[in-house]
Amino acid sequence: MSEAGEPGDPGDSSILDCDDCMTPAEAFAVVGNETRLSILEALWRADERPVSFSDLRKAVGMRDSAQFNYHLDKLRGQFVRRTDEGYTFRHAGWAVIHAVQAGSLTEQPEIAPFEVEGDCSDCGGPLAARYEDERVVVDCVECARTHANYPFPPGGLDGRTTGEVMAAFNQRVRHLHCLMADGVCPECSGTVETTVERDPAGYDLDVAVRHECQRCRHQLTTSVGQVLLDHAEIVSFYRDHGVDLNQVPFWTLDWCTADEYTTVLSDDPWRLRLDVPIDGPEGTPAGECEGERLTLTVDEDLVVREVERSPAGTATTSP
């Protein structure tokens, strides 16, 4: 019997351990064939799945049944699953098609800067967005301060106006942060570790939150405000003022894009305070609680421990 932690200990085994798994090189060699990609694309285009052998061959346009079966057999197991009714995708097959449709493998579009909603939190200048290197970047036209810089697959540009692209970008970034904050990597679904750190290199932040996937090493570094953007207390606070926060572009919210509204109360352990003023991108909305401010205090795990509402201009004291 093996000791705990030694090779062979069932408790140490990964659920991904297998004897017949492909290496990455083998997997790319399988799909790096025009006929096999055509098979995957035919499956994707099918109105219903599973697809029978004959219908799949007809969709690909290959007359030689034996040759078609040879290529289909190469895909079976890792990329395509055979059922009693025909053939359908396995996750790896979907991943290949998603990469093709996202445009990441075949497209390198760029969009020149165009005006977007919001004003610079530093100088009050106008904001402009551009698309390059598969990222949407929002900068101040006058002082060049960056308000947003996140990946956005080229496929997301297809059929959309610039306004629609930015609306989609707003929602995509929100969901990326939600997944990472919940401990799920948006790239590989691996486990994400979240830490708070001072002065991260390459970011205009004094204190930041870093998410890192422990499987694929995908990283996302952002402000405390961005992590808490969709927190129920903040969403309700805005709703009480007649604003649907989900529709507000995150890059227009100073407390979200910078850390000037974040106060470090303690760094051992971490204890942070975020002040959220109600003056959104269109100015302070009318209402009974006009001018209020929401204050959230969070611990080292970014869990909200205290919530307080107070009139604008009221001093916030540290505990």
Side-chain angles (χ1 to χ4, degrees):
M1 180 179 296
S2 61
E3 296 290 329
E6 290 183 352
D9 177 17
D12 258 7
S13 298
S14 167
I15 60 174
L16 290 179
D17 288 347
C18 62
D19 296 327
D20 56 352
C21 289
M22 287 185 176
T23 65
E26 291 170 337
F28 281 115
V30 168
V31 295
N33 174 280
E34 186 174 353
T35 298
R36 295 166 203 166
L37 279 175
S38 295
I39 292 173
L40 293 177
E41 289 175 343
L43 272 178
W44 172 70
R45 288 193 302 268
D47 293 330
E48 294 183 3
R49 285 179 290 272
V51 182
S52 69
F53 179 91
S54 59
D55 287 343
L56 193 56
R57 181 168 63 88
K58 185 182 301 183
V60 173
M62 181 174 284
R63 294 183 178 181
D64 189 330
S65 179
Q67 185 70 6
F68 178 78
N69 186 62
Y70 167 79
H71 288 292
L72 183 58
D73 187 60
K74 290 292 185 180
L75 293 170
R76 267 198 299 261
Q78 189 69 20
F79 300 94
V80 170
R81 178 166 56 91
R82 182 179 181 179
T83 70
D84 292 339
E85 293 78 26
Y87 296 86
T88 189
F89 282 113
R90 289 178 62 88
H91 179 75
W94 270 120
V96 172
I97 290 299
H98 286 168
V100 172
Q101 294 304 313
S104 298
L105 299 179
T106 58
E107 303 175 25
Q108 291 183 317
E110 292 188 0
I111 299 179
F114 56 93
E115 185 178 350
V116 294
E117 184 178 347
D119 300 315
C120 178
S121 58
D122 279 358
C123 72
L127 303 180
R130 67 183 189 277
Y131 186 82
E132 59 185 22
D133 296 330
E134 299 186 4
R135 303 179 74 86
V136 172
V137 182
V138 179
D139 292 324
C140 173
V141 173
E142 296 181 1
C143 74
R145 182 188 184 280
T146 299
H147 288 65
N149 184 345
Y150 291 96
F152 191 77
L157 307 178
D158 191 27
R160 286 186 170 127
T161 64
T162 54
E164 291 168 341
V165 166
M166 296 309 294
F169 174 66
N170 182 43
Q171 297 304 322
R172 174 179 167 80
V173 171
R174 289 170 179 268
H175 290 302
L176 289 177
H177 280 92
C178 284
L179 279 172
M180 294 293 264
D182 286 340
V184 180
C185 176
E187 298 294 326
C188 74
S189 296
T191 302
V192 172
E193 181 177 293
T194 297
T195 56
V196 180
E197 60 182 52
R198 294 268 196 183
D199 301 317
Y203 295 87
D204 186 21
L205 296 168
D206 294 325
V207 60
V209 178
R210 181 183 295 277
H211 304 293
E212 181 174 356
C213 175
Q214 301 304 291
R215 186 169 190 269
C216 73
R217 299 304 174 189
H218 175 65
Q219 293 184 1
L220 186 63
T221 300
T222 188
S223 67
V224 174
Q226 183 76 69
V227 174
L228 298 176
L229 175 59
D230 291 319
H231 191 279
E233 292 286 352
I234 298 180
V235 172
S236 296
F237 181 58
Y238 269 78
R239 185 186 299 119
D240 290 346
H241 290 78
V243 179
D244 180 0
L245 186 58
N246 188 55
Q247 300 305 316
V248 178
F250 72 88
W251 62 85
T252 67
L253 301 167
D254 294 352
W255 57 266
C256 181
T257 62
D259 62 2
E260 62 182 285
Y261 292 93
T262 299
T263 303
V264 177
L265 304 178
S266 169
D267 58 9
D268 188 21
W270 284 104
R271 190 173 178 85
L272 307 165
R273 186 183 70 226
L274 174 68
D275 292 311
V276 181
I278 196 55
D279 48 344
E282 298 298 332
T284 304
E288 288 185 1
C289 44
E290 181 177 344
E292 274 191 322
R293 179 184 61 219
L294 183 71
T295 300
L296 294 86
T297 303
V298 301
D299 61 18
E300 66 273 15
D301 297 318
L302 283 304
V303 174
V304 175
R305 296 300 183 185
E306 299 175 19
V307 180
E308 180 185 0
R309 291 195 186 194
S310 56
T314 303
T316 304
T317 56
S318 303

